Amino acid sequence: MDAQISTVDRQPKRNAVRPASVASKVPGPPGYVAPSAPVPMPVPQCPPGCPPGLEYLTQIDQLLIHQKVDLTEVILGWETNNKYQIKNSLGQHVFYAAEENSCCNRSCCGSMRSFVLHVQDNFGQQILTITRPLMCSSCCCPCCLQKLEVQAPPGVPIGYIVQNWHPYLPKFTILNEEKDPVLKIVGPCCGCKCCVDVNFEVMSLDETEIVGRISKQWTGALREIYTDANNFGISFPLDLDVKMKAVLLGACFLIDFMFFENNK
């Protein structure tokens, strides 16, 4: 009898509660992502005519750009190459961007410096190259205003941003690869506003319709005072040409350098 009882006791009980350590290993429902684990955005299929790597942009109408804070700049005040994390509205990583520049250029030219920005996807493949030559931004020099070229893949231009002369408003024109005007960007009279977002409207060519926005987001007093690391949001129509979405990303970087790089 004792042997039978011990045998029964050793048999697993079907209704026993599993330990927490075992239950935690049970996978969640399909598509579940732990909120604390940053994950890259799923890779969609590349539609015809879309440059490789830009298929991410075909399914979204918003991008969030976070400039990484560099402790060297905060502590020593030395300007370093800018680095950015680019996410979608769900916080999923889409791209990474890093500036390529020399110490001399950063120190001598400041926010007006020329640069090359390399944009990579989550697999480390470079999918965008954004180049800015050394130009002037003063309204007194209308013949030498800002320009930016966006290439995708690197070496193949897909669009341009050119600054338009205006006595007090920041204005830009978005051009396609054929250098035909597609969109306009109009900013506020004064880009230095405290405790509020600064919006640059993406508009139709006749400037009668707002189709998107590039917004410099307020990040708090301490960060605004002691660093020049900024956060931006870009919104655009979902059905906008994917190349123009990439060019608007380049326009966001140009706006950051021109108006918010030296805000300390």
Side-chain angles (χ1 to χ4, degrees):
M1 179 65 69
D2 294 339
Q4 294 178 355
I5 293 175
S6 61
T7 302
V8 173
D9 291 341
R10 288 194 297 268
Q11 293 179 352
K13 297 180 180 181
R14 295 179 180 271
N15 297 327
V17 179
R18 288 175 293 183
S21 61
V22 176
S24 62
K25 297 180 180 180
V26 177
Y32 172 79
V33 177
S36 59
V39 295
M41 181 179 174
V43 182
Q45 293 183 350
C46 187
C50 176
L54 297 189
E55 58 270 11
Y56 285 112
L57 301 180
T58 61
Q59 300 183 348
I60 58 178
D61 60 0
Q62 185 179 11
L63 285 173
L64 304 176
I65 296 91
H66 303 289
Q67 185 177 351
K68 298 181 67 175
V69 177
D70 195 298
L71 293 180
T72 303
E73 289 190 7
V74 177
I75 299 174
L76 302 178
W78 294 346
E79 182 69 26
T80 60
N81 284 330
N82 289 358
K83 297 179 181 179
Y84 304 86
Q85 291 182 335
I86 304 166
K87 305 177 182 180
N88 61 15
S89 58
L90 300 178
Q92 296 173 316
H93 292 264
V94 180
F95 303 124
Y96 297 87
E99 177 190 0
E100 177 188 350
N101 223 325
S102 65
C103 179
C104 180
N105 192 16
R106 294 193 304 270
S107 301
C108 296
C109 300
S111 61
M112 290 295 103
R113 64 186 183 264
S114 60
F115 63 73
V116 177
L117 275 175
H118 303 283
V119 182
Q120 297 180 342
D121 61 14
N122 291 312
F123 304 101
Q125 300 295 321
Q126 184 172 338
I127 50 92
L128 281 174
T129 299
I130 302 171
T131 58
R132 175 202 191 188
L134 182 62
M135 292 288 185
C136 179
S137 63
S138 172
C139 62
C140 298
C141 302
C143 61
C144 194
L145 297 178
Q146 293 292 309
K147 297 179 181 179
L148 201 74
E149 180 179 279
V150 181
Q151 302 174 356
V156 181
I158 61 169
Y160 306 85
I161 304 102
V162 295
Q163 183 184 7
N164 305 129
W165 185 88
H166 196 276
Y168 58 89
L169 286 179
K171 285 192 172 186
F172 304 88
T173 299
I174 303 295
L175 311 176
N176 61 17
E177 64 267 34
E178 303 296 333
K179 296 188 177 182
D180 297 323
V182 178
L183 295 169
K184 290 286 188 70
I185 298 177
V186 181
C189 178
C190 178
C192 299
K193 295 183 179 181
C194 182
C195 301
V196 296
D197 294 349
V198 181
N199 297 321
F200 291 73
E201 307 295 350
V202 181
M203 310 185 73
S204 58
L205 287 177
D206 57 6
E207 300 184 17
T208 60
E209 181 182 1
I210 297 176
V211 299
R213 175 175 293 172
I214 298 175
S215 178
K216 191 272 180 184
Q217 301 167 348
W218 174 255
T219 56
L222 289 178
R223 181 162 177 167
E224 294 285 342
I225 293 173
Y226 293 106
T227 76
D228 58 4
N230 302 303
N231 291 341
F232 287 85
I234 308 175
S235 60
F236 36 67
L238 183 64
D239 59 351
L240 182 66
D241 183 359
V242 67
K243 296 179 181 179
M244 294 301 100
K245 292 182 181 181
V247 176
L248 285 176
L249 176 60
C252 178
F253 293 132
L254 179 60
I255 289 172
D256 181 27
F257 274 83
M258 288 183 63
F259 302 106
F260 306 105
E261 181 67 8
N262 288 334
N263 65 348
K264 293 189 289 183

